[in-house]
Amino acid sequence: MTDHSTWRLITDEDVSASFGLAADECLAQWVGQGGSSSTLRLYTYRSHCALVGRFQNLENEIYRDYCEAHGIALNRRPTGGGAIIMGADQLGVALTIPGRGDDSYSHARERMAQFSQGIVNALQSLGVRANFRRKNDIEVNGRKIVGLGIYRAHSQTRPESAFSVSSALQRTGLLFHASLLVGLDIPLMLRVLKTPFEKISDKEIATVADRVTTVRREIGREIELSEARARIAEGYAAAFGVSLLPGDFTADERRAIAALERSKYLTAEWVSQTTAVPDALGSAKVKTPGGLLDIRATLAGNILKAVFIGGDFFAAEAAIADLESSLRWHSADPDAVAATLAHACAGRADDLTALPLDALVTAVQQAIRRARLAESAARADPYGCFVNPV
Amino acid sequence: MPIHGHYSFPPDLYYDRATHIWVRNDGEVVTIGLDALSLESLGDMAYISLQAVGIRVRRGEPIGTLEAAKMVGDLSAPVSGTIAARNEEVLRDPTHVNRDPYGIGWLLQLTPSDWARESTELVHGDGLTAWVEAEMERYRSQGWID
């Protein structure tokens, strides 16, 4: 269990939402306490399930009635971020490795860049020009293709053990989660995940398609999930300099996973839990010489979770998606927002000639102010984050 | 209050080396929160959940969970004890932690069970300045702070 140059590779298919999530968390705990070896798990969920982020309010993010009517399982990830749909065309990636003794959050961030590199390697080997984008996305020309998340897990104390204080601090495992969009059924996604759209037409579908992409779309051909999985495995072996040894869960691990499913991931207490921090929504419309600018912002506390930039001005959609990405999970501080937009617009100057920066900053800041004011109203009439796969 | 750049580390507090959680001895209870470098690493706080009052924890065990800028992690107890109080205000508005980490942004109070021994494993007093400077150098070398 101490050979850090070899990782176990587990590939499983068609798993339930509760098993998939319980297995990842359980492995993180076991790897942290040294009971399991570092593991790269590449798997798919049974089509389809909808997974919200650790602290999201499910009712804000998911059309529960639709999901229940269509057999779409609902659950909650241990990692953060937005709501996603998962199924046969979305590859789940879970890397579980031990935390270090001096395991501050910064080390996890350091590892995130390395973690993303495994996927970037794989996509580039397929000819996809993907890049890691802070904080936790992998994108292709501004379109999100992978969402990433980190969870630092504490290992459960084994009753028979007498860990010292110092060893207790080392019993952490890191779980890196990712969902790779090999393909995506956008109309289904819009029926499952709540968005600002009031209807689902070709226009709305095209708007989403301008903000997310898939492996199949980028390489222009069909690709089996097995091929994508093999590339991901190769990408990780190269990024971390490790060998991957195909394996499976042990009997002990399966028992622990089943127990965690029963105690957590199959309970309404976990799946439907709510947070004391409500989403707050705000919108602003500003007329500019280039056309109408329509901004919608979602806040959680002082975090700007998502911004939708719409209107009838002319701009390259990839550039708009780039601006939106730059503000995802960003501080809502007005000066910070202005600085980030200025930087993002400067990098896309040729694509945004009809979008005045000052008007954009004004509109986004106004939407944020209104979101703060509308916080109580948001509790009564919520919708979720806009297009935020993981 | 010693200021290292624009990061402050009040000298009356104790600091957990591994997690950058601060501890203040208030007599019957200790108050805990996140220190300035920890917050610099995490960024703005989005959500916090905390264990219920009355729960007993050992040093290093989880006392809550936080999400900041999409990173989720458990908060570790810096000392063993029983949870005596939670800051309900930071649960409703986690940005208090960023705005005033040593004041209204405190997280929990614990009734410690082994303070005399466990406090010696925390950074305090003469060792504080050297530890802060080493940590800041480490953070700078990684590009986490300017």
Side-chain angles (χ1 to χ4, degrees):
Chain A
M1 298 294 178
T2 56
D3 179 7
H4 298 301
S5 65
T6 302
W7 290 353
R8 177 174 50 167
L9 174 64
I10 293 179
T11 57
D12 46 346
E13 310 264 7
D14 207 30
V15 304
S16 68
S18 57
F19 178 86
L21 295 168
D24 291 341
E25 182 177 341
C26 190
L27 283 184
Q29 291 174 359
W30 280 48
V31 168
Q33 67 184 18
S36 299
S37 56
S38 296
T39 300
L40 177 65
R41 181 175 177 228
L42 304 175
Y43 65 107
T44 59
Y45 286 91
R46 190 172 306 146
S47 293
H48 282 90
C49 62
L51 308 178
V52 294
R54 170 66 184 83
F55 284 99
Q56 288 189 301
N57 289 333
L58 190 145
E59 306 298 339
N60 289 6
E61 311 295 334
I62 304 287
Y63 289 110
R64 183 190 282 270
D65 290 347
Y66 180 88
C67 292
E68 290 177 351
H70 292 81
I72 295 172
L74 305 176
N75 219 304
R76 176 180 304 279
R77 300 189 307 273
T79 48
I84 58 173
I85 60 170
M86 295 292 282
D89 282 341
Q90 292 79 45
L91 182 64
V93 180
L95 173 62
T96 44
I97 57 177
R100 297 193 295 208
D102 56 343
D103 187 28
S104 67
Y105 287 100
S106 306
H107 291 126
R109 288 207 320 189
E110 176 190 352
R111 291 294 184 94
M112 179 58 107
Q114 196 177 14
F115 173 63
S116 70
Q117 193 59 45
I119 299 176
V120 169
N121 285 351
L123 291 172
Q124 290 180 345
S125 77
L126 288 164
V128 179
R129 299 179 65 180
N131 295 297
F132 172 56
R133 177 171 192 148
R134 285 186 85 231
K135 299 180 171 71
N136 296 317
D137 298 333
I138 294 175
E139 297 179 347
V140 182
N141 193 28
R143 296 186 178 101
K144 189 168 183 172
I145 193 168
V146 178
L148 308 164
I150 309 176
Y151 170 59
R152 192 179 68 161
H154 274 263
S155 299
Q156 300 300 307
T157 303
R158 291 173 172 175
E160 70 276 17
S161 300
F163 288 105
S164 69
V165 168
S166 58
S167 68
L169 289 174
Q170 294 172 5
R171 282 179 289 119
T172 59
L174 294 176
L175 165 63
F176 295 86
H177 247 178
S179 62
L180 170 64
L181 299 177
V182 178
L184 180 65
D185 183 342
I186 292 175
L188 175 67
M189 189 185 89
L190 292 176
R191 291 185 187 97
V192 171
L193 306 186
K194 291 185 176 179
T195 73
F197 304 134
E198 294 173 357
K199 58 181 182 175
I200 303 172
S201 70
D202 289 348
K203 180 183 175 187
E204 281 72 38
I205 292 169
T207 300
V208 174
D210 284 324
R211 286 155 173 80
V212 298
T213 191
T214 67
V215 175
R216 289 180 181 138
R217 178 179 172 187
E218 292 299 321
I219 65 177
R221 66 175 173 85
E222 279 299 308
I223 178 174
E224 293 297 323
L225 203 94
S226 56
E227 183 182 347
R229 190 190 333 246
R231 298 292 183 113
I232 294 285
E234 292 165 6
Y236 274 102
F240 284 81
V242 296
S243 301
L244 296 172
L245 186 64
D248 199 353
F249 300 103
T250 66
D252 283 348
E253 286 172 341
R254 286 196 180 278
R255 278 191 287 275
I257 292 166
L260 190 58
E261 274 192 274
R262 287 192 300 274
S263 66
K264 185 170 182 177
Y265 289 99
L266 286 171
T267 68
E269 182 185 8
W270 171 255
V271 176
S272 297
Q273 68 179 238
T274 57
T275 171
V277 181
D279 279 359
L281 314 172
S283 62
K285 292 183 180 179
V286 172
K287 281 189 176 178
T288 76
L292 181 70
L293 190 53
D294 181 2
I295 304 293
R296 300 172 204 189
T298 306
L299 286 182
N302 196 45
I303 292 282
L304 190 50
K305 290 173 68 177
V307 168
F308 171 67
I309 303 172
D312 58 9
F313 58 91
F314 178 78
E317 283 297 336
I320 296 300
D322 204 31
L323 296 181
E324 292 173 351
S325 294
S326 72
L327 292 177
R328 194 177 296 143
W329 288 84
H330 187 283
S331 167
D333 174 72
D335 292 339
V337 167
T340 294
L341 284 174
H343 180 75
C345 285
R348 288 281 196 171
D350 292 344
D351 298 323
L352 297 169
T353 52
L355 184 61
L357 173 62
D358 55 350
L360 178 63
V361 169
T362 298
V364 172
Q365 290 176 339
Q366 190 173 74
I368 291 171
R369 280 197 301 275
R370 288 176 175 168
R372 293 192 199 283
L373 292 172
E375 183 177 310
S376 57
R379 289 196 188 95
D381 184 23
Y383 68 71
C385 260
F386 174 70
V387 187
N388 192 15
V390 177
Chain B
M1 178 181 299
I3 304 293
H4 301 262
H6 56 282
Y7 303 104
S8 64
F9 287 81
D12 57 318
L13 304 182
Y14 295 74
Y15 298 86
D16 188 313
R17 290 181 176 83
T19 60
H20 278 264
I21 286 177
W22 59 260
V23 186
R24 188 180 64 226
N25 185 351
D26 291 329
E28 293 292 309
V29 297
V30 296
T31 302
I32 69 173
L34 292 166
D35 77 18
L37 277 180
S38 174
L39 290 168
E40 181 66 20
S41 171
L42 289 164
D44 284 340
M45 214 56 61
Y47 304 102
I48 295 173
S49 67
L50 298 169
Q51 295 268 32
V53 171
I55 298 287
R56 294 177 61 182
V57 293
R58 291 191 300 170
R59 173 163 153 78
E61 289 184 341
I63 50 175
T65 307
L66 62 82
E67 178 170 3
K70 289 183 76 174
M71 180 185 291
V72 171
D74 289 335
L75 292 160
S76 305
V79 294
S80 305
T82 302
I83 295 175
R86 312 189 308 173
N87 185 348
E88 301 293 338
E89 189 56 35
V90 302
L91 293 174
R92 285 190 291 273
D93 183 359
T95 60
H96 285 314
V97 178
N98 295 97
R99 283 199 296 270
D100 188 7
Y102 303 110
I104 60 171
W106 64 276
L107 297 173
L108 279 172
Q109 288 186 322
L110 288 168
T111 304
S113 57
D114 195 8
W115 174 253
R117 185 176 66 85
E118 292 181 337
S119 62
T120 64
E121 301 189 29
L122 305 173
V123 182
H124 181 66
D126 292 343
L128 179 59
T129 297
W131 175 71
V132 169
E133 288 176 354
E135 283 295 274
M136 291 189 62
E137 180 54 35
R138 186 167 69 87
Y139 275 54
R140 275 196 202 94
S141 70
Q142 296 292 337
W144 299 323
I145 59 175
D146 295 328

